[in-house]
Amino acid sequence: MVVVRSAVWGALIGTLLMGVLVTVVDVTTPSDKPTSAFITFIAIAFTSALFGGIPGAVLGTVVGAIRKSAQRPRYTPPQPVHPPFPQQPYDMWSDLVERCAESTRRVAAAVQTVPNSPAKDWLQRISEKLATELDDVRGIAQLGRALGAVDRQHPVYQRLLQATHDFHAFENEVGRVALQMFDHPELDEARTHLEVLEKQLPQLST
């Protein structure tokens, strides 16, 4: 409808302007031959429609198309709707298990930095025992979940909390022994440290 209205208004305005122009020219131009007013009107109307109405309609169509294009809402692709992530209930056991797991990973990484020697092999076996103790940590956490314990004073939670302290203390001790083994990698030099370290290994299964 915008284009049609613009074309109609363009034709009317073009015809009117051309009619005024032709009338002014006809009036101001002297003529020796008398002409009928009806014929003059028909001539002016035809000229105005031909040379004013048609160009005006074309120009109005162009203007209408531009206006319609400007008014057309821009297409915005719909944004994908992501389903909300399900809220996981807080698990007080997972935090403690992860703390023990981090200590286990750091102990294993520390062992790998020690120079190759029989003493390192011994330290490696101690690290593997710690990984076994981590399985017991997970078992204690499962027991707490099975009992539905939510009180941090619950004996199972306190047992697991103590395990995190033991793992962290053992991690620090491994770092101390590994540092000494850099200077004295020989088994005889490191034996005493390794024996003490092995005795300090968390024993959750006993």
Side-chain angles (χ1 to χ4, degrees):
M1 292 297 296
V2 175
V3 176
V4 174
R5 285 198 300 269
S6 296
V8 171
W9 277 105
L12 291 176
I13 294 173
T15 301
L16 180 61
L17 292 177
M18 183 58 68
V20 171
L21 178 62
V22 172
T23 301
V24 170
V25 172
D26 181 72
V27 171
T28 57
T29 302
S31 177
D32 297 334
K33 298 179 180 180
T35 306
S36 170
F38 177 74
I39 296 176
T40 301
F41 173 78
I42 294 299
I44 293 175
F46 178 77
T47 303
S48 300
L50 181 62
F51 295 101
I54 295 177
V58 174
L59 182 60
T61 301
V62 174
V63 173
I66 295 175
R67 290 178 58 194
K68 182 178 180 180
S69 177
Q71 293 176 358
R72 183 180 303 168
R74 296 181 179 180
Y75 173 74
T76 302
Q79 298 295 325
V81 179
H82 298 288
F85 291 101
Q87 295 293 330
Q88 298 294 333
Y90 173 71
D91 184 7
M92 65 181 184
W93 308 100
S94 297
D95 179 58
L96 298 182
V97 172
E98 181 57 28
R99 286 162 62 181
C100 293
E102 287 179 357
S103 292
T104 304
R105 289 192 291 267
R106 284 193 286 264
V107 166
V111 172
Q112 297 304 316
T113 65
V114 175
N116 292 328
S117 66
K120 177 181 180 178
D121 297 338
W122 191 347
L123 187 60
Q124 179 72 43
R125 290 192 295 271
I126 294 175
S127 173
E128 292 170 355
K129 291 180 181 179
L130 183 65
T132 302
E133 295 298 325
L134 180 60
D135 292 335
D136 292 333
V137 168
R138 295 191 177 100
I140 295 174
Q142 284 295 101
L143 174 61
R145 295 189 187 99
L147 295 175
V150 294
D151 184 6
R152 296 181 185 274
Q153 300 304 318
H154 194 281
V156 177
Y157 185 87
Q158 291 298 314
R159 174 78 180 278
L160 194 57
L161 184 61
Q162 182 59 46
T164 62
H165 296 319
D166 293 343
F167 270 67
H168 183 67
F170 187 76
E171 173 193 340
N172 292 335
E173 190 62 21
V174 168
R176 184 184 65 82
V177 172
L179 182 60
Q180 292 174 342
M181 290 174 62
F182 270 98
D183 298 327
H184 305 284
E186 299 83 6
L187 181 57
D188 292 340
E189 294 286 345
R191 183 183 301 277
T192 302
H193 302 300
L194 292 171
E195 288 176 349
V196 173
L197 185 62
E198 197 163 28
K199 291 179 181 179
Q200 294 178 347
L201 183 70
Q203 298 292 330
L204 301 178
S205 58
T206 57

